[in-house]
């Protein structure tokens, strides 16, 4: 039942697991560079959000090192992985940049604005950060693509493929 504000209170809200558990989004790796610091993480909250002009939003966890770097970044790179790139997903999702230099373990090149573009991913783009939006425990970064490319073919890595990766940082 809705309260006076027209929304459901936390306690009265029905269990949303039946909805959220059915989602199986494509996973991506987001990289950021600012002030000589480089970071990257595995992201499950990301989506195209406009056709004209083309826009994309990625949501980064506030407890993540990538978020701390991205707060000051002018550009972010977003990479789609194929299912056979689980090792890359484990590196960016299961390790923390607070302890490990993830970029020392893989091939990458410098993209627009100094952002790290990972080699041999399914597809990627570098986007200018237009806006940051606080969404709770994550912050959304609205991106305007300025550089992009495609690479390997194959089915994309999805949440169901990555659900067993233990996060490098706790969710809370």
């Amino acid at each position: 039942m809705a309260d006076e504000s027209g929304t459901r209170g936390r306690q009265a809200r029905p269990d949303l697991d039946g909805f959220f558990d059915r989602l199986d989004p494509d996973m991506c790796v987001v990289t950021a560079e600012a002030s000589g610091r480089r970071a990257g993480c595995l992201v499950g909250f990301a989506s195209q959000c406009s056709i004209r002009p083309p826009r994309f939003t990625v949501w980064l966890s506030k407890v993540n090192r990538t978020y701390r770097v991205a707060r000051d970044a002018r550009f972010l790179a977003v990479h789609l992985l194929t299912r056979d790139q689980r090792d890359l997903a484990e590196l960016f999702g299961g390790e923390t940049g607070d302890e490990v230099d993830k970029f020392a373990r893989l091939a990458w090149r410098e993209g627009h604005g100094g952002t790290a573009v990972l080699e041999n991913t399914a597809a990627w783009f570098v986007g200018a950060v237009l806006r940051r939006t606080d969404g709770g425990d994550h912050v959304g970064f609205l991106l305007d693509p300025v550089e992009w490319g495609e690479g390997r073919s194959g089915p994309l890595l999805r949440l169901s493929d990555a659900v067993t990766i233990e996060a490098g940082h706790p969710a809370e």
Side-chain angles (χ1 to χ4, degrees):
M1 174 177 244
D3 63 20
E4 294 167 335
S5 68
T7 62
R8 295 179 183 269
R10 278 205 181 274
Q11 308 249 334
R13 190 173 72 182
D15 186 358
L16 288 174
D17 287 347
F19 181 89
F20 290 121
D21 286 350
R22 292 175 183 235
L23 300 176
D24 196 16
D26 296 328
M27 301 297 289
C28 56
V29 170
V30 175
T31 59
E33 189 284 331
S35 304
R37 298 175 301 149
R38 182 165 279 116
C41 64
L42 185 66
V43 171
F45 300 154
S47 179
Q48 180 178 351
C49 56
S50 175
I51 298 169
R52 288 186 187 84
R55 297 286 187 264
F56 195 88
T57 300
V58 295
W59 295 86
L60 301 179
S61 170
K62 292 178 182 178
V63 300
N64 196 307
R65 180 175 186 273
T66 303
Y67 165 71
R68 294 192 306 272
V69 173
R71 285 185 305 199
D72 300 320
R74 294 181 47 225
F75 301 93
L76 299 179
V78 180
H79 309 80
L80 293 175
L81 306 179
T82 55
R83 283 192 186 142
D84 62 347
Q85 292 183 297
R86 184 177 164 90
D87 57 336
L88 198 55
E90 288 177 350
L91 174 63
F92 281 94
E95 301 286 342
T96 172
D98 293 325
E99 300 170 2
V100 173
D101 179 0
K102 299 175 188 181
F103 299 93
R105 299 182 181 184
L106 52 96
W108 63 276
R109 66 173 179 77
E110 191 171 298
H112 190 89
T115 303
V117 173
L118 306 181
E119 297 290 332
N120 203 27
T121 58
W124 61 272
F125 78 90
V126 174
V129 177
L130 299 179
R131 182 174 304 128
R132 294 166 178 85
T133 302
D134 191 316
D137 59 3
H138 284 65
V139 171
F141 291 75
L142 177 63
L143 304 176
D144 176 20
V146 296
E147 180 184 30
W148 51 87
E150 292 185 69
R152 64 192 298 138
S153 61
L156 295 179
L157 183 80
R158 302 186 65 94
L159 176 61
S160 58
D161 301 317
V163 72
T164 59
I165 296 173
E166 188 173 327
H169 271 290
E172 299 177 34

